[in-house]
Each structure stands twice: as structure tokens, then as C-alpha cells.
Amino acid sequence: MPNSYARQGEQVGTGVTVIVPTYNERDNVAELVTRAAAALAGRDAEILFIDDSTDDTALEVQRVAADAPVPVRVIHRDDNTGGLGGAVVAGLAAAASDVCIVMDGDLQHPPELLPVLLDRHAEGDADVVAASRYVGGGDTSGLGTAVRFGVSRAATWLTKAMFPIRLSRSTDPMTGFFLVDRSRLDLDVLKPQGFKILLEILARTDLRIAEVPMEFAERRHGTSKASLRQGATFVAHLARLRFGKMSLFALIGVVGAVANLGIMWLLTEAGMPYVWAAIIGAEVTIVGNFLLQERFVFADMRTDARGLGIRFLTSFAFNNVEAALRIPIMALMVESWHISSVLATALSLIVAFFARFLFHSLVVYAPRRRRTTDADGEPPVDTAALRVIRAIDAEAMRPGEL
């Protein structure tokens, strides 16, 4: 359970909740609260910190809250599920107001812009109001180096290219400073991974968006949370949002297939018979694919599934059985059709894709069986055919521009 501290121990009804996800931002808390409270003077407001820190940021929020001119609360998460995006969703669920403003705790988002977001929302034609670095009057100098600016711009262009319709009215879908009307948002549809929660909201909903310009400030304290790992998580999450789980599974399969072909080519060039080269390539990529699928494809299903060891053994066994059937067929294609072993392997991998996906979705990551009964006291019917239908239906209904 998260540790929660509240000013005077109670949550009060407010007109706006400012949600601030934090990770080791202790030195920024006092100034952020002071500036945000000044910007919100005369408004019914609260500030809610969702803290994933490993330092004493939560205690600092509690100290500042004692004398703050507006109610200040903090929820410290021991398990930072979903990263920064998960923290924002937790904040949206715990907010005292339906009008919520999300902002970073590093002071790069100017608190003085809070009333501008609220005034724009009050016009009534938008469910989301985003503070954009790229709309007229915005500024990106706080990004610092040209490399960071280039990476940010490239990520924005990639995102807009993948969602040209849903993001047509957004110049900065990567911003972390935005207002959202919680009453218009179904929190259950959000599956945050990483730190681009506005993209998650816009991709999974049809909320109307408006923008106001923002001057992105320089970081005062702490260090940037951006990293190669965060970048990989973002790319994987973007693929999941745009194409769904099946296509992300396919993307990893393509990576595995390229690795398989590369290993096989190297071994055959070294003089190894192509059948043995195919076996070694298959074993290496089976293990590699499983690790990538665990991290990027089926991460949301691991909690309810069986243990890691059982998942690995089940996946490994199936893939080896599949390979044991596929490799002789590949050899037959080489001998009978007189095509190259590499081409035959590629064709057989494509055919095997759907069988692998369905097996992993329905068997490897299937929820553990629970003792449940229907209204008549009988176990509910759940056939393999029904599970296949549900899996296909789930993929068809995932986010994306169909």
C-alpha cells in the first residue's frame, strides 16, 4: 500500500488538482509549491504529489504542506508501476477535482502558466489543454543541447506521423504539462508505460485538445530522467499504441528472424552444414525473443500469468517443437524446390508467426486458473475457440487508426 500524507489529514473538495509526479525532486518542492500557489491565488485548488523517489522527497512535501497557502498532499508509491505515466494515472484516480493539471516537478514547466491552462479550458471547447513548446510563442531553450532538441523534435515528428488523425490538432503530443478533464476520461483504458502520458491519453481516446504556448525552462536541480532505456520503452510503447500487441510481437519476431538469418549465414560461411546452423540460430533467437516479449509485449499479462520459469519452459518447449517441425520442412523446400536455405528459412518463419502469437497469448501468458462458477454453480464454459475469438477481438479493438 502506498504511504499517504495529507494536510490536516483530510482530502478536501477542490476546483482544480495539480498533479506533480516526482522522482528525487526534493530540492524543487518548496519553490514549486510557492510559485504554483501564487499562480492559483483566489482559485479553489490543491497540489497532489505522486512520489516514486528513493530520497526524502515525500517528507519534504509533508514539511512544505504544513505552511502552504493551498492544500498539498503526497502519495508515495513503493512500486512505481507504469513509470511516470503510471504515477500520473494514480494521481488522476486520487485527485479531488475532475479538472486536473499535470506538470513535472523539475520546474521546467512554469507554474505561472497554470491559470492560462484553466482559462483556456473554461472556454468550453476542449477536454485537454496542452502547454506546447512548438506552437506560436512557445520556446524550447530549456531542452539545452542541440542533440536533445533534435531527439525531441524527431520523436514528435515520428509520433505525429504514426497518428496523423488523432494528433492533427497537437503540435507537442510529448509535452508533460497539460490540463485534462477527468470526467471525460476513462482511466481504465489507459495502459501507461514510461513518461509520455499525454500521448497515451490522446491515442486511446477521442478527447478534444487545445494548446497554449509554453516557454520550457532550464532544469534547476536534479538530473534528466531521459535515457536510452527510456527511449527504448517509448518506441515499444508507441508501437503498441499504434499497431497493437500482435504487431509488436511481429516486430520482435522480425528482429529475431534477422538475427536467426545472420547467425545461420555466419555459421554456413564458416563451413557448418545449414541444418546445424539453422538449429543453433533457432535456439539463440528463441531465448532472445522470449526476453523481448516478456519486456515489451506481454508485460501487462505477467502479473496474472504463471511464474517466469513456467512461462519460459512452456515458450521454449513450444518453439522447439515448432522448430523441429519447421526445420525439416525448410530442408525439404531446399532439396525439392532448389531455393536457398536462407530464403526457405525466411518463408517458414513467416508461416510460424501466427501459431506462435496465438500460443503465447492463449497459453504461455494465460491467467492462472481460478475456481469460479456461474449462476448455477457450474464452471463457466471456456473453450479454445472462444479464447481465440477473444484474442482476435482484443487485437482488433486495440488503439490505432483503423
Side-chain angles (χ1 to χ4, degrees), residues 381-395:
V381 176
D382 189 20
T383 64
L386 288 175
R387 292 196 296 273
V388 170
I389 291 172
R390 285 201 302 271
I392 295 174
D393 180 66
E395 289 307 315

Side-chain angles (χ1 to χ4, degrees), residues 227-244:
S227 65
L228 289 176
R229 181 178 179 180
Q230 287 280 15
T233 300
F234 164 69
V235 171
H237 187 51
L238 184 61
R240 184 184 295 111
L241 280 172
R242 178 59 183 88
F243 300 114

Side-chain angles (χ1 to χ4, degrees), residues 58-91:
L59 294 177
E60 175 67 4
V61 174
Q62 187 181 22
R63 184 191 70 79
V64 171
D67 299 318
V70 296
V72 176
R73 294 189 289 139
V74 59
I75 297 175
H76 178 73
R77 302 197 305 166
D78 295 319
D79 181 9
N80 61 343
T81 303
L84 186 146
V88 171
V89 173

Side-chain angles (χ1 to χ4, degrees), residues 100-121:
C100 299
I101 297 178
V102 178
M103 65 183 301
D104 288 348
D106 56 13
L107 296 174
Q108 290 191 285
H109 295 158
E112 291 73 22
L113 202 60
L114 291 170
V116 179
L117 293 170
L118 289 166
D119 290 344
R120 180 63 185 85
H121 175 255

Side-chain angles (χ1 to χ4, degrees), residues 44-383:
D44 192 14
E46 71 161 350
I47 302 174
L48 172 59
F49 289 85
I50 307 296
D51 182 56
D52 292 339
S53 299
T54 57
D55 64 4
D56 59 349
T57 296
L59 294 177
E60 175 67 4
V61 174
Q62 187 181 22
R63 184 191 70 79
V64 171
D67 299 318
V70 296
V72 176
R73 294 189 289 139
V74 59
I75 297 175
H76 178 73
R77 302 197 305 166
D78 295 319
D79 181 9
N80 61 343
T81 303
L84 186 146
V88 171
V89 173
L92 290 171
S97 172
D98 281 334
V99 177
C100 299
I101 297 178
V102 178
M103 65 183 301
D104 288 348
D106 56 13
L107 296 174
Q108 290 191 285
H109 295 158
E112 291 73 22
L113 202 60
L114 291 170
V116 179
L117 293 170
L118 289 166
D119 290 344
R120 180 63 185 85
H121 175 255
E123 295 180 21
D125 61 343
D127 309 307
V128 174
V129 181
S132 172
R133 296 163 290 183
Y134 305 120
V135 74
D139 182 81
T140 60
S141 58
L143 287 171
T145 66
V147 173
R148 285 194 65 195
F149 173 78
V151 170
S152 175
R153 261 319 217 175
T156 299
W157 289 332
L158 174 62
T159 303
K160 288 179 65 67
M162 295 185 76
F163 292 94
I165 298 174
R166 297 189 184 188
L167 300 183
S168 61
R169 295 179 59 84
S170 173
T171 64
D172 194 0
M174 318 293 284
T175 182
F177 194 7
F178 61 92
L179 177 153
V180 62
D181 183 349
R182 186 181 60 179
S183 67
R184 302 281 298 166
L185 182 63
D186 181 1
L187 298 183
D188 291 336
V189 308
L190 301 179
K191 308 294 181 185
Q193 291 291 331
F195 55 97
K196 298 305 180 184
I197 185 61
L198 178 59
L199 171 62
E200 171 85 11
I201 291 172
L202 296 179
R204 293 188 185 274
T205 70
D206 294 318
L207 298 187
R208 301 167 299 169
I209 184 172
E211 293 183 326
V212 298
M214 170 180 62
E215 293 186 7
F216 195 60
E218 295 184 1
R219 176 181 291 275
R220 297 289 188 87
H221 304 284
T223 58
S224 173
K225 309 306 185 293
S227 65
L228 289 176
R229 181 178 179 180
Q230 287 280 15
T233 300
F234 164 69
V235 171
H237 187 51
L238 184 61
R240 184 184 295 111
L241 280 172
R242 178 59 183 88
F243 300 114
K245 194 183 295 290
M246 183 181 289
S247 292
L248 190 56
F249 184 90
L251 179 61
I252 290 175
V254 169
V255 173
V258 171
N260 193 337
L261 295 174
I263 293 169
M264 184 177 172
W265 179 79
L266 288 173
L267 293 177
T268 53
E269 285 293 304
M272 181 178 290
Y274 68 83
V275 172
W276 285 109
I279 291 173
I280 293 174
E283 294 302 313
V284 172
T285 54
I286 283 172
V287 175
N289 282 3
F290 174 80
L291 296 176
L292 291 173
Q293 290 158 9
E294 277 275 305
R295 176 65 179 85
F296 295 115
V297 182
F298 298 107
D300 59 333
M301 300 172 67
R302 293 182 306 192
T303 301
D304 294 329
R306 292 169 294 180
L308 174 62
I310 296 177
R311 294 199 302 271
F312 174 75
L313 291 175
T314 305
S315 174
F316 188 78
F318 174 82
N319 281 292
N320 274 282
V321 170
E322 178 267 319
L325 296 174
R326 178 173 53 81
I327 290 177
I329 293 174
M330 179 269 293
L332 181 63
M333 293 167 63
V334 172
E335 300 298 334
S336 300
W337 296 357
H338 304 292
I339 61 176
S340 73
S341 58
V342 173
L343 176 59
T345 301
L347 292 173
S348 63
L349 287 172
I350 292 172
V351 173
F353 163 72
F354 287 102
R356 289 180 179 179
F357 178 77
L358 288 175
F359 182 84
H360 281 76
S361 294
L362 304 178
V363 179
V364 177
Y365 293 93
R368 290 184 293 268
R369 291 185 179 274
R370 297 179 174 85
R371 292 173 177 261
T372 56
T373 59
D374 58 19
D376 298 323
E378 296 294 330
V381 176
D382 189 20
T383 64

